[in-house]
Amino acid sequence: MSGSGKRERTAIEQVARYFGATREQGAATSPYACLTLDAKRIAVEVTVMEPAAAGRGDDAVPRLRLDKVALRLISRLQAALSPRVADGQVVMFSVTAPIRLPSKTAAELEADISQCLRRGATTVEISDTIRGNQVRVRFAKGGARPASKVVGFVHNPGTDPRILFDLTVGLLRHIGAAVDKRPPEPFHGDRWLVIADEQGGERIGTYRQVYSQLGVSADFNKMLVVFADGQVETLTG
């Protein structure tokens, strides 16, 4: 756990109450927290999601489209572009719905992103309109190594896709940093990662959509999101 900040301590207390676990005495000054649950020790790393990734008001809960047209467009672009993205880099794109010409939209978007990749774009963000749909693309450096280097979203008009992009980058960075922090030997218990979010639990659907696309392989037995309203949700494990 990164120090003894109030938000980190509150998140640990929320997790302990939720699972009926107890916190070990003397762990407050450690870089991680130790909980005991059913006579098993658990090392818990807590990280706080930055406000930039949290959004404000209605923007905090993007309205995503998960119909067949949207999912096929995302899958097509992931398959076509992932082999072209360098290690340590992630490409994020968003398209507004409804998509009336999905094949042509996907082809044009693929061409635009491919051109940027050939130019060596690493921290570029572009906005455009393709076939009547608003499109935004961001190139960024990752943290944890995702299974897919391309992450896509189809959303309703009025949703700010930058919230989705910020959350994607935030998850990659926080998971990657937490993986490198290990409890000192001879600890042999489970490891949990807790992400503290300053917004309410209505954001959990967005977290799950983002995480499912990343496919990050991390050495944690459980990953949780703890929201400011006290809600505790499981991402994996």
Side-chain angles (χ1 to χ4, degrees):
M1 185 170 64
S2 54
S4 56
K6 180 179 179 180
R7 188 66 187 97
E8 288 93 332
R9 293 197 304 272
T10 300
I12 284 293
E13 292 168 0
Q14 290 172 302
V15 169
R17 285 197 300 270
Y18 182 80
F19 288 98
T22 57
R23 181 170 180 175
E24 291 187 8
Q25 295 296 322
T29 58
S30 300
Y32 63 94
C34 265
L35 300 180
T36 302
L37 178 62
D38 296 331
K40 296 180 180 179
R41 298 182 71 211
I42 302 166
V44 182
E45 172 70 24
V46 181
T47 185
V48 179
M49 189 62 69
E50 294 85 350
R56 289 291 183 267
D58 292 339
D59 284 342
V61 188
R63 297 182 294 278
L64 296 174
R65 296 289 287 267
L66 303 174
D67 54 80
K68 290 182 180 179
V69 172
L71 296 178
R72 285 172 182 167
L73 181 140
I74 293 171
S75 179
R76 169 178 171 173
L77 288 169
Q78 286 177 327
L81 294 169
S82 289
R84 309 176 196 175
V85 182
D87 290 342
Q89 185 179 7
V90 61
V91 177
M92 298 161 283
F93 69 87
S94 67
V95 183
T96 56
I99 305 173
R100 296 183 175 86
L101 298 169
S103 295
K104 293 182 178 180
T105 301
E108 291 186 31
L109 183 53
E110 179 185 342
D112 289 348
I113 294 175
S114 296
Q115 184 178 16
C116 290
L117 290 172
R118 286 193 294 271
R119 293 202 306 261
T122 57
T123 57
V124 176
E125 184 166 334
I126 59 177
S127 181
D128 199 359
T129 300
I130 297 178
R131 302 287 173 172
N133 299 100
Q134 295 178 359
V135 173
R136 188 180 291 268
V137 181
R138 183 187 294 182
F139 302 81
K141 294 182 180 179
R145 181 169 295 181
S148 174
K149 300 175 183 177
V150 180
V151 179
F153 306 99
V154 177
H155 58 84
N156 289 349
T159 285
D160 186 350
R162 290 174 296 183
I163 301 300
L164 297 162
F165 295 168
D166 289 344
L167 184 57
T168 300
V169 173
L171 278 176
L172 287 171
R173 180 170 62 254
H174 287 302
I175 293 173
V179 166
D180 294 334
K181 298 178 183 178
R182 292 185 173 275
E185 295 296 339
F187 185 90
H188 299 296
D190 287 356
R191 294 183 69 209
W192 291 5
L193 174 62
V194 173
I195 300 168
D197 190 298
E198 294 302 308
Q199 298 291 323
E202 67 274 2
R203 280 167 52 85
I204 186 58
T206 307
Y207 267 92
R208 286 174 175 151
Q209 286 298 325
V210 172
Y211 184 79
S212 68
Q213 287 202 53
L214 294 177
V216 176
S217 178
D219 188 21
F220 294 103
N221 302 91
K222 190 182 291 292
M223 294 178 61
L224 306 160
V225 184
V226 177
F227 296 97
D229 59 7
Q231 187 169 329
V232 179
E233 296 285 352
T234 301
L235 272 184
T236 182

